[in-house]
Amino acid sequence: GSHPIHEKDPTLFEQSWQLARWPAFLSVLVTLARFFSERARLPTGVSFLIGIVWLTLFVGIYLGIRLAQDERPYGTLFLSLAVLAVLSRLPVVVLWWVTKTFGLGTHYDVFEGWGQVLVAQLLIGVVLQVISGGLMGVIALHLKRRLTEELT
């Protein structure tokens, strides 16, 4: 049979939002650190290590471990990563506009126009983050479940 839905049970989106909001905040800090590392002319190898895709990989692992015992782990994992990806790409679009407008010369200004930046960031970038973070999350989730089964 069905069970009554309690008000305390979060919806899939509410749970995903709760899981994604802090990583999204961190992604803004990472994006700003990347921007300022490039403006400070740090070596490209150093700036490359400061990125939202790297953050997403770690968040995917964290979510996989955290959701291993969840009733709906895959939906929550991938929706959380999608929320994170969109929220983390919006500041990149803003920085593209800033660097393009003021000729600041960072990797953010590689796109020629709004069409390119929106497709690259809000479509391709989001898909890249969800797939890569999701892959890491699924692996972590299965490893956590396997370890939990072996210990019980």
Side-chain angles (χ1 to χ4, degrees):
S2 63
H3 59 71
I5 297 176
H6 306 308
E7 286 185 44
K8 294 179 182 174
D9 292 340
T11 66
L12 180 62
F13 184 79
E14 288 168 340
Q15 185 180 12
S16 298
W17 168 253
Q18 291 293 324
L19 291 169
R21 67 183 180 178
W22 280 108
F25 174 75
L26 286 175
S27 75
V28 172
L29 298 178
V30 167
T31 298
L32 289 172
R34 173 77 176 262
F35 174 77
F36 287 114
S37 76
E38 291 183 21
R39 292 293 300 143
R41 305 284 187 240
L42 292 181
T44 304
V46 173
S47 292
F48 175 75
L49 294 175
I50 307 168
I52 54 178
V53 173
W54 300 115
L55 175 66
T56 302
L57 297 177
F58 291 113
V59 170
I61 293 167
Y62 166 76
L63 292 175
I65 293 168
R66 172 108 189 260
L67 296 170
Q69 306 307 317
D70 199 81
E71 293 178 11
R72 50 188 184 208
Y74 301 109
T76 306
L77 171 67
F78 284 97
L79 186 55
S80 298
L81 289 169
V83 170
L84 169 60
V86 170
L87 292 176
S88 68
R89 293 287 166 172
L90 292 174
V92 174
V93 172
V94 171
L95 281 178
W96 166 79
W97 179 81
V98 169
T99 58
K100 205 67 166 167
T101 301
F102 298 102
L104 298 179
T106 68
H107 90 281
Y108 295 102
D109 66 4
V110 298
F111 306 106
E112 292 301 318
W114 282 103
Q116 282 185 3
V117 77
L118 292 176
V119 168
Q121 296 301 323
L122 298 180
L123 180 63
I124 297 168
V126 167
V127 170
L128 171 69
Q129 281 182 255
V130 171
I131 291 172
S132 61
L135 178 62
M136 298 302 286
V138 168
I139 291 169
L141 187 146
H142 283 283
L143 289 174
K144 167 77 179 198
R145 284 184 174 175
R146 188 173 207 176
L147 183 61
T148 303
E149 289 171 7
E150 288 178 7
L151 295 175
T152 57

